[in-house]
Amino acid sequence: MTVRTRFAPSPTGYLHIGGVRTALFNWLFARQHGGQFILRIDDTDVARNVDEALEPILSGLKWLGIDWDEGPGVGGPHAPYFQSQRADRHRAAAEKLLAAGHAYRDFARPEELDEERKAAQAAGRPFLYSRRFAAYDDAAAAGFVAEGRSSVVRLKMPREGALIIEDAVRGRVEFAWEREQDHVIQRADGSCLYHLASVVDDHDLEITHVIRAEEHLSNTPRQAFIAMSLGYPLPAYAHLPLVAEPGSRTKLSKRKLAQYLKNPDFKQVAEHGTRIAERIGLTADADTFNPVIVDFYREVGYLPWAIDNYLSLLGWSYDDKTEFFSRDELVKQFTLGRINSSPASFDPKKLWAVQDHYMHALSVDEKLALMTPFLVKAGLLPDPAPAAALETVRKVIEASADRLKVAGDILAYADFLLVEEPAMDEAAVKQRLAKPGVRDLLTNYAAALRTAEPFAPPALEECLKRVVEAAGVKVGDLVHAVRVAVTGKTVGPGLYDCLAILGRERSLARLERALPQCG
């Protein structure tokens, strides 16, 4: 048997971190078994579909390296890969279920169903529809139509026995049929609902393993009933644990960003990303720039494999110690049997640590390639960038070492070098330059820099120490003041590296311009 898995997102919003984890696990399982990973777009809910949301889903998966063997943009022998284009197959399946007596046309009005539901509630028993407005043949249907009623198609679910499945994550799961409602599978307008469409499409696409979030576990009985009633073999099921809120067991939701920001780690990541977004002209709003969606991490400059590696650890582990995997290693080691059924909390701090690990391992050339587009977007470099400017950025990257955590960080570390006059942070000026005595310290340091040879970090540091010793002040009193004077801010590469990259003339010019703001 050739393993075939699928990821079937709905284009109703941006790609959610939890959805990415589901796609990743499907991709890993298919790749490990030499099978195929299919991308299908479940767009039957026309009212909720957002045209603009499809492209971020496709591009987000591609960015993460989660490629598909069949689906949009790739094609394949089971096309089309949009549910909305498979409506004829869904309607044909509904007719087959009706003809076989596994479904019926229901002419109940909403208020009549509500009346039965309230009666069951009052009696303290589960609601099961009486089927009193069910039509099992054309004659009965005609009678209801004569009363001015319209119909939907409902499944005629069993009322006795149970469905038993062996879930690859949860083990043996039993569902009592008597608890299952007669679910609607076709609306009055003839369009079919998700549960029928999904079963038909999974069969037509020859999906062997349905690996999905645990929230779909409750859908399994109705979907299994549909499949069995249509004569389809059941796929193997694996229901993944929730990707939960930080420190919680509640599902992570992009709509709860304000609540998550009360978590210091989440807030730090969000605010860091917002600063980068503003520099490259992005609108950092809660809908499109949210650490719960994958676009956030792409726009900030995370490494795609860092995201994949971290998400692979949400509910799965190889052992208690191994945290970092190459793509090939993860494919080799991944199994459904190692997935934990308990909710897995999304930890922004842990993701940050995984990102830092992989960023630190990159060469300077690799970092330069990742970071240059951010400088172009921010208008700090032309496209293509001159060789001399790229060499300056290279020096910044070398000097910054592991302080550059994501690609977008280069904006705060290289910007002062790529402009003639850096913008001055008013708070930094007030804190570091406006203090009494700073003017004399900067003047004396500038004088020392004029004769420093070579104009390189060791000599520049030695000059500063001599000025500090002569003045009887702390090193920090001058270091921080010089940094603000030449860069306009309090963060960046090492001070002496900044001065060396700027060069003697530019460093002296900036110190001179800063003097009027000194105390």
Side-chain angles (χ1 to χ4, degrees):
M1 176 187 69
T2 300
V3 167
R4 288 173 63 85
T5 66
R6 52 80 165 169
F7 178 54
S10 298
T12 57
Y14 289 84
L15 191 57
H16 185 279
I17 283 293
V20 172
R21 199 276 307 267
T22 298
L24 176 65
F25 280 18
N26 275 276
W27 182 88
L28 287 169
F29 188 75
R31 292 290 174 263
Q32 187 192 63
H33 289 273
Q36 288 99 44
F37 171 64
I38 319 302
L39 180 63
R40 185 182 75 225
I41 306 302
D42 284 3
D43 56 349
T44 54
D45 192 348
V46 177
R48 295 182 62 224
N49 289 339
V50 180
D51 291 339
E52 296 78 11
L54 178 58
E55 178 52 33
I57 290 173
L58 301 181
S59 61
L61 291 174
K62 290 177 183 176
W63 175 68
L64 291 165
I66 303 176
D67 56 331
W68 50 98
D69 302 291
E70 298 177 28
V74 175
H78 301 84
Y81 295 93
F82 289 82
Q83 275 195 339
S84 61
Q85 298 173 18
R86 305 178 62 85
D88 289 346
R89 287 284 300 138
H90 308 151
R91 286 192 290 267
E95 290 298 329
K96 185 175 180 179
L97 291 171
L98 285 168
H102 298 303
Y104 59 89
R105 299 192 184 281
D106 179 40
F107 288 84
R109 294 187 173 111
E111 60 271 19
E112 292 162 340
L113 289 171
D114 190 51
E115 180 182 333
E116 287 196 16
R117 190 175 289 106
K118 289 179 179 177
Q121 185 177 7
R125 56 178 171 78
F127 167 63
L128 281 178
Y129 175 41
S130 67
R131 300 173 179 166
R132 63 187 176 124
F133 296 100
Y136 299 104
D137 55 43
D138 291 343
F144 286 128
V145 171
E147 295 178 15
R149 294 174 178 269
S150 60
S151 68
V152 297
V153 176
R154 290 185 183 275
L155 294 173
K156 189 179 181 182
M157 300 294 290
R159 294 286 169 88
E160 296 179 348
L163 169 71
I164 298 174
I165 65 168
E166 292 295 333
D167 190 282
V169 174
R170 298 170 186 281
R172 185 183 177 90
V173 184
E174 183 172 335
F175 304 90
W177 287 123
E178 65 181 358
R179 296 180 178 275
E180 291 300 315
Q181 301 296 320
D182 286 357
H183 304 283
V184 176
I185 58 172
Q186 190 174 31
R187 303 179 182 90
D189 64 5
S191 61
C192 295
L193 277 74
Y194 162 77
H195 297 293
L196 175 64
S198 182
V199 171
V200 172
D201 292 346
D202 282 349
H203 173 262
D204 287 355
L205 271 60
E206 301 181 18
I207 302 303
T208 61
H209 293 73
V210 172
I211 304 170
R212 58 189 181 182
E214 72 170 16
E215 63 197 77
H216 292 286
L217 182 62
S218 62
N219 298 332
T220 304
R222 75 195 76 168
Q223 294 179 354
F225 176 75
I226 292 171
M228 293 185 294
S229 298
L230 291 170
Y232 300 164
L234 291 183
Y237 291 103
H239 287 89
L240 308 177
L242 287 176
V243 175
E245 299 172 353
S248 169
R249 297 172 68 88
T250 303
K251 182 182 177 182
L252 187 69
S253 169
K254 68 179 183 180
R255 296 177 180 84
K256 294 184 179 180
L257 180 60
Q259 174 183 318
Y260 300 154
L261 293 183
K262 295 177 183 178
N263 177 301
D265 297 331
F266 215 118
K267 183 177 182 180
Q268 182 181 17
V269 168
E271 291 181 345
H272 178 258
T274 297
R275 289 193 294 271
I276 293 173
E278 291 172 348
R279 292 295 303 270
I280 58 179
L282 290 178
T283 301
D285 61 69
D287 290 330
T288 60
F289 206 74
N290 182 330
V292 177
I293 63 174
V294 75
D295 259 23
F296 171 92
Y297 300 96
R298 178 169 52 170
E299 298 294 354
V300 167
Y302 280 66
L303 297 168
W305 184 245
I307 304 294
D308 288 343
N309 192 155
Y310 172 70
L311 291 179
S312 74
L313 303 175
L314 287 181
W316 176 88
S317 64
Y318 175 60
D319 55 37
D320 293 334
K321 297 180 180 179
T322 308
E323 294 183 327
F324 304 110
F325 298 87
S326 70
R327 185 174 295 269
D328 289 343
E329 288 171 338
L330 192 53
V331 168
K332 180 180 178 180
Q333 301 297 345
F334 182 81
T335 65
L336 296 177
R338 291 197 179 103
I339 298 175
N340 192 318
S341 61
S342 300
S345 293
F346 179 74
D347 183 352
K349 187 176 181 180
K350 180 63 177 178
L351 172 55
W352 184 260
V354 175
Q355 163 66 21
D356 184 45
H357 169 84
Y358 284 110
M359 181 63 80
H360 185 66
L362 294 181
S363 68
V364 172
D365 284 342
E366 289 171 322
K367 290 180 181 179
L368 181 63
L370 280 171
M371 296 174 181
T372 299
F374 284 82
L375 296 168
V376 172
K377 285 182 183 179
L380 294 168
L381 285 179
D383 188 16
L390 290 177
E391 183 57 30
T392 295
V393 177
R394 177 190 296 277
K395 291 177 180 178
V396 172
I397 293 172
E398 290 174 334
S400 301
D402 59 356
R403 280 172 285 195
L404 296 171
K405 305 297 186 183
V406 299
D409 281 343
I410 193 65
L411 298 173
Y413 280 71
D415 57 347
F416 71 94
L417 289 160
L418 301 174
V419 295
E420 192 59 35
E421 293 187 32
M424 304 296 282
D425 182 320
E426 292 183 8
V429 169
K430 183 176 180 181
Q431 180 183 9
R432 301 298 185 185
L433 296 184
K435 295 163 59 175
V438 170
R439 179 192 293 268
D440 290 340
L441 286 173
L442 289 187
T443 298
N444 293 339
Y445 187 52
L449 291 184
R450 289 188 175 91
T451 58
E453 290 295 345
F455 200 81
L460 303 179
E461 182 177 11
E462 185 59 34
C463 287
L464 187 135
K465 288 180 178 179
R466 290 200 302 269
V467 171
V468 166
E469 289 173 1
V473 297
K474 297 178 182 179
V475 169
D477 292 336
L478 183 52
V479 165
H480 297 310
V482 174
R483 176 180 292 282
V484 174
V486 299
T487 72
K489 63 183 73 177
T490 58
V491 298
L495 172 62
Y496 309 112
D497 290 305
C498 291
L499 293 168
I501 297 170
L502 275 169
R504 193 191 311 270
E505 297 307 318
R506 293 178 73 191
S507 296
L508 290 172
R510 292 189 179 190
L511 288 171
E512 183 70 26
R513 281 196 294 267
L515 292 178
Q517 302 179 72
C518 295

